[in-house]
Each structure stands twice: as structure tokens, then as C-alpha cells.
Amino acid sequence: MPGASALSSFRQQRLLADLAKQGIVLDWISGQYLHFVWAKKALDAQQTQVLEALLSYGEPFKAFTQAAVPTQLNHQAITIPRFGTVSPWASKATEIARQCGLEVLRIERGIQFTWRSAKSLTPVEQQLIFSVIHDRMTEEVVIKSSQVEALYQSLTDT
């Protein structure tokens, strides 16, 4: 489930400045919270409405207009908690959801970063961007949302 903006204007500018110091100039960078919900069965319409209300917080995300922007110059990655861990945010969010009557096993949160560069980025430059957008001690970077499913591989029914 998509969520609010994960980057304030200040944090966006700081990320761009940190990358520029390393020789990587981006036109812009944005971040949006993504919520990953794991349940034994699909939530019904009422449960989904409750979950959406719980996950509505912060500044609404405003996507950059992609008109006339070549897609090959737009890049994205998702930061998530390290595989095999449960973030403190997930522990609290899951507890709150259960208190609201939702039968969820876990709710986890990540950030989808999207950026645009005026030129193609090398694999080394991409790795430098990854190092700036996540904390390697507590987070992983994945490219596709399908890779997030690995968060739940070791999850046992409770």
C-alpha cells in the first residue's frame, strides 16, 4: 500500500548535496513510504478501509511529473529492513492493527526512492546512491517490489 512522502524538502536537498559531493548530479530525488501487509487471508473491504485509515499519516506524496522525461533516465530502488529482522516500526504497527481487529501477521514499511539523472549512471554510481539512501546496518536495498516478499520467508504463523 502506498503511503505518505518519506522525504522532506530539506532531506531531499541534503541527499542531492551528499551525492553531488561524490560527483553524482541528480535532477531530483523523491521518496514514498510503501507498506507491505502480510496476512493469512486477504482482507475484506471493511478491513482494508481500516488499514488504509491506519496507514494515512504524514505529508501526502506528490510524484514528479514524468511528462517528456525519458524513462531510461529515471531510476528507483526500495529500502526495507534487513532480511531476517522485524523493524520496531513493524512491531508497533502490527500491534496497533491487531488491536483494531485486523488479522495481520505483520505490517512492514519501506521507502521507494525515485531519482532522475541527466545522464546514464554507471553501476558504481548506482551503488553510491544506494549507500546514501539506506543504512547498511539495518536496511537492504531491492530494485523490484517482488523482492520484498523475502522479508516474510521466515515468518511463522502465530
Side-chain angles (χ1 to χ4, degrees):
M1 298 180 109
S5 179
L7 297 177
S8 64
S9 294
F10 173 79
R11 187 154 178 238
Q12 286 173 328
Q13 293 306 313
R14 191 176 79 206
L15 284 172
L16 292 171
D18 289 348
L19 289 164
K21 287 178 190 175
Q22 297 182 53
I24 301 170
V25 178
L26 300 180
D27 296 332
W28 51 262
I29 189 167
S30 67
Q32 179 180 21
Y33 287 118
L34 297 180
H35 304 99
F36 304 98
V37 181
W38 198 260
K40 290 181 185 180
K41 60 181 182 176
L43 301 178
D44 65 26
Q46 182 183 6
Q47 292 171 325
T48 300
Q49 188 175 17
V50 169
L51 184 60
E52 286 173 348
L54 286 174
L55 298 177
S56 294
Y57 58 88
E59 290 292 319
F61 178 73
K62 295 176 185 157
F64 285 94
T65 305
Q66 302 297 320
V69 176
T71 56
Q72 69 268 23
L73 299 180
N74 293 326
H75 307 274
Q76 66 181 21
I78 302 169
T79 60
I80 56 174
R82 288 188 72 81
F83 295 118
T85 67
V86 177
S87 73
W89 186 94
S91 297
K92 194 63 176 172
T94 303
E95 178 185 328
I96 291 168
R98 289 177 180 164
Q99 290 292 325
C100 292
L102 300 177
E103 294 181 24
V104 295
L105 297 172
R106 181 171 159 196
I107 302 173
E108 192 55 83
R109 179 173 76 169
I111 300 174
Q112 180 171 332
F113 288 93
T114 306
W115 58 91
R116 179 172 174 253
S117 62
K119 65 177 188 79
S120 294
L121 299 172
T122 68
V124 171
E125 290 171 324
Q126 289 278 51
Q127 288 301 316
L128 285 171
I129 293 171
F130 294 166
S131 71
V132 171
I133 65 172
H134 88 293
D135 177 350
R136 67 185 178 99
M137 298 298 289
T138 61
E139 297 174 317
E140 301 273 348
V141 176
V142 297
I143 304 301
K144 300 175 188 170
S145 59
S146 61
Q147 295 172 294
V148 175
E149 292 175 15
L151 279 173
Y152 302 110
Q153 285 181 352
S154 63
L155 187 65
T156 58
D157 287 351
T158 56

